[in-house]
Each structure stands twice: as C-alpha cells, then as structure tokens.
Amino acid sequence: MSDKPCGCSCTCQPAQQPTTRRAAARKLPRFTIQPIPAAQPRLDHTALMTLAARLTERDYQILDHLHRHRVLTTHQLQRMFFTIAQATRARMTILFQLNAVTRFRPWAGYGAGSAPIHWALGKAGAAALAARYGITLKELGYNPDIPVAVSSRLTHQVGVNDYFSHLHSLTRRTPHAALRAWLSERQCAEKWGELARPDAYGCWSENGHQIDFFLEHDTGTETLKRVADKLHDYRDLVHATGITTPVLFWLPSPTRETNLRKLLTSSDLPIATAVHTTHGDGPAGPVWLPIPAEPGQARLRLADLDNGWPHLTLGRSTEQPASADDDDGEFLDRIFQDETESR
C-alpha cells in the first residue's frame, strides 16, 4: 500500500499542505476582471440577413438607444422597453448571443454588492442598424474601439441615462405624458458644441404642459464654482440662437443643492435645481425649484416649469425670428418623431 497522497507507486513528491489560513489563501486562484473581447465575430452578408430575421421592432429600438446613449443597464432597459426583469434578461441574453450587443459588469466596490449588467451596442447590432437606415457603419458613427467599460465618465453617463429612463417609464404608465426628445451629450455637442455642452437635451410634456430643457447631471466630483461657471456657455448659446431654454441641475444631495443655489443668483437664465430621486414620479415629479424662488415656494413638477420663470420668455424670442437657414425646427421635428416612435 503506497503511503503517498495520490496512492501511486511512482516517485512523485507528497503534496505540500498550507500550514495557515493565510498560506491557504495564497494557494487559491486570484480573481481577475475579464476584459471585454476586442474582436467580435465577423459579420458577412448571410449572417447579417440571418440576424435581421431575428430582430423585432423593439430590438431595433434598443439597439438605436444603445448607439445614441452608449450604455444602458438592465434596470434602465426594463423601465424603457419591458415589464419584468426576467423578460429583460432573457431577451438581452438572446441579443448578446446574436452578437448584437455586448455586456459587462463594472466593479461596484467593497460592500456595495453587485453592479447591474451594463449593455452596449455590438458590431452585429451596429451593422443591422446601418443596414436598416441604408447607410454604412462609418456613416452610422459606430466605433467598437471606444472603451465604454473603462471610461472615466461611465458613472456619469449611466446617471444621465437613468434620469431619462425614469421619464420613459412614466410615459408607459401615464396616458398624458410623453418624452418628445432625448438628445445625448454627443448629439448636443454636434449641434451646439461650439457654444455649450450640456449632458443631454430633453423635451417633456404632461397634461398639456411642455418644456424643453438642457440637463446638467451633477455627481459631486466638480467644484461648485466650476458647475456654476457653465452658465456662461449657456448665455452664449442664448445670444447666438435667440432661444431661451431652461437649464436643469440634477444634484446628488440636498446640501450640495443648497450651496449651489447660493452661487446661482442670476435671473437672466431660466434655471432650476432638484436632488436625485427615484421616488414617486422621479425627475418628472414635484422636485424642481426655480431660480429665483420665494421663501417657502413649493417645488414644481417638471412639466409645470414652463411657467416657472414668468419674467422670461422661453423658446425663440419674438424679436428674433428664425432665419431662412435655421434648421432647428426640422432637426427637432425629426428627433421628436424618432423618440415618439421608439416608445
């Protein structure tokens, strides 16, 4: 009978057993974060036709939003396109298996639990979108090499998208509410980047009220002075376009909101502030406080902000009519139609 751990009669050496827990821990395989595969399966014409046959209208809407807004979590997709988590995970898994989307789960930090799965547009999904629009991948603007998963602005991007996903969710359960437009930071930069760079542009309507707005999603990482200084760019935008659009600051805490409002004392721009919340109707609810505000003034719903600045005229000034080469109306009409159809 062999006295070796393996029971064999060869000359192998007995296994060395760790003598302490710390030594045992060193023997365990270390956990490593797996990178997102840089290369995705090649998509030829036959594969594209097969993929297109599997995609539904809702799938195309999901792919379009992933393209325009870079990344959406499972929870956000559920609010916007599904009803229950199981259906969301099941369909997104199928799209992943078809290489229409990619996915990753960022590290959430010790004690924070698991982060939700984050979804981004895959190469096959981008090709399907481009084919649907009758354009090339280059014309679509898809770049698989952009490192979304490791971007320093990932948390900020997810926060902006969370804001609009809650508005989307409300439109699905409220008959008289509509998110008429949602332009991403990239779309805003293409349109107004030489003057101002908002985190997003939106148009929200509810019960006969409608408001266009620029969103500034604050995560608390910038100084309040730097946040307040962004208003200089919005003044330049108003002067250049003749269009007065409210600027909404979405802040992480009541203390930061209070301190920022001390710096935002000017009344020449329509400004409102609110603190991040998902309770009730979320950002569409009565959480917004215009600047200036009377002591004890009640907060307003998002749609009611259209009357939040009675001393200002929102939209294009009647003293500065649109010029013949001004394409704002056509541009926004197209965006409104896209958003309405994607609900």
Side-chain angles (χ1 to χ4, degrees), residues 13-297:
Q13 297 298 318
Q16 298 295 323
Q17 300 296 323
T19 57
T20 65
R21 288 187 178 182
R22 180 173 298 177
R26 287 198 294 268
K27 295 291 184 180
L28 296 175
R30 292 186 178 275
F31 174 78
T32 57
I33 299 177
Q34 296 298 322
I36 299 176
Q40 300 178 49
R42 184 173 182 178
L43 190 69
D44 57 22
H45 180 73
T46 302
L48 180 59
M49 294 294 292
T50 302
L51 173 63
R54 298 284 302 275
L55 295 178
T56 66
E57 182 61 34
R58 180 175 63 183
D59 292 337
Y60 278 112
Q61 293 171 13
I62 291 172
L63 298 179
D64 182 65
H65 277 76
L66 289 176
H67 170 57
R68 286 192 283 145
H69 306 295
R70 300 190 66 190
V71 59
L72 290 166
T73 68
T74 302
H75 302 318
Q76 292 168 354
L77 288 166
Q78 179 183 338
R79 294 185 201 112
M80 296 168 63
F81 299 106
F82 300 90
T83 54
I84 58 176
Q86 293 90 331
T88 309
R89 290 193 295 266
R91 189 58 191 172
M92 294 308 297
T93 298
I94 292 175
L95 293 179
F96 176 74
Q97 293 169 344
L98 293 171
N99 298 306
V101 300
T102 62
R103 64 186 179 187
F104 61 94
R105 191 192 297 270
W107 185 63
Y110 293 110
S114 298
I117 293 178
H118 291 48
W119 303 88
L121 183 64
K123 188 173 182 179
L129 271 183
R132 183 179 176 88
Y133 298 150
I135 58 178
T136 65
L137 273 176
K138 183 177 181 180
E139 291 171 329
L140 183 68
Y142 174 72
N143 184 357
D145 297 327
I146 295 178
V148 178
V150 295
S151 170
S152 61
R153 291 179 59 80
L154 175 62
T155 300
H156 181 271
Q157 181 69 69
V158 171
V160 173
N161 295 351
D162 208 56
Y163 176 98
F164 283 93
S165 74
H166 281 283
L167 294 183
H168 259 285
S169 178
L170 186 60
T171 65
R172 301 180 68 196
R173 63 178 190 269
T174 305
H176 303 294
L179 180 58
R180 294 199 63 205
W182 171 15
L183 272 61
S184 67
E185 181 178 14
R186 179 179 60 184
Q187 290 174 294
C188 290
E190 292 172 353
K191 184 65 179 174
W192 304 292
E194 295 182 359
L195 298 168
R197 289 180 173 268
D199 293 327
Y201 164 89
C203 179
W204 176 252
S205 65
E206 184 180 14
N207 295 323
H209 294 263
Q210 179 170 299
I211 182 170
D212 299 70
F213 62 89
F214 292 122
L215 179 70
E216 286 291 337
H217 174 72
D218 181 61
T219 59
T221 58
E222 296 180 318
T223 65
L224 290 176
K225 182 181 184 303
R226 184 172 180 179
V227 174
D229 285 345
K230 294 179 181 181
L231 294 181
H232 297 308
D233 296 335
Y234 287 108
R235 290 189 181 93
D236 293 340
L237 183 61
V238 172
H239 294 155
T241 63
I243 303 174
T244 304
T245 304
V247 181
L248 308 185
F249 288 91
W250 188 234
L251 299 151
S253 70
T255 300
R256 189 164 173 87
E257 181 190 30
T258 299
N259 292 333
L260 179 62
R261 290 183 66 88
K262 294 176 182 178
L263 299 178
L264 305 180
T265 57
S266 176
S267 61
D268 62 333
L269 285 176
I271 308 167
T273 63
V275 177
H276 301 177
T277 181
T278 58
H279 297 296
D281 290 337
V287 298
W288 295 99
L289 190 61
I291 294 177
E294 299 294 332
Q297 179 175 332

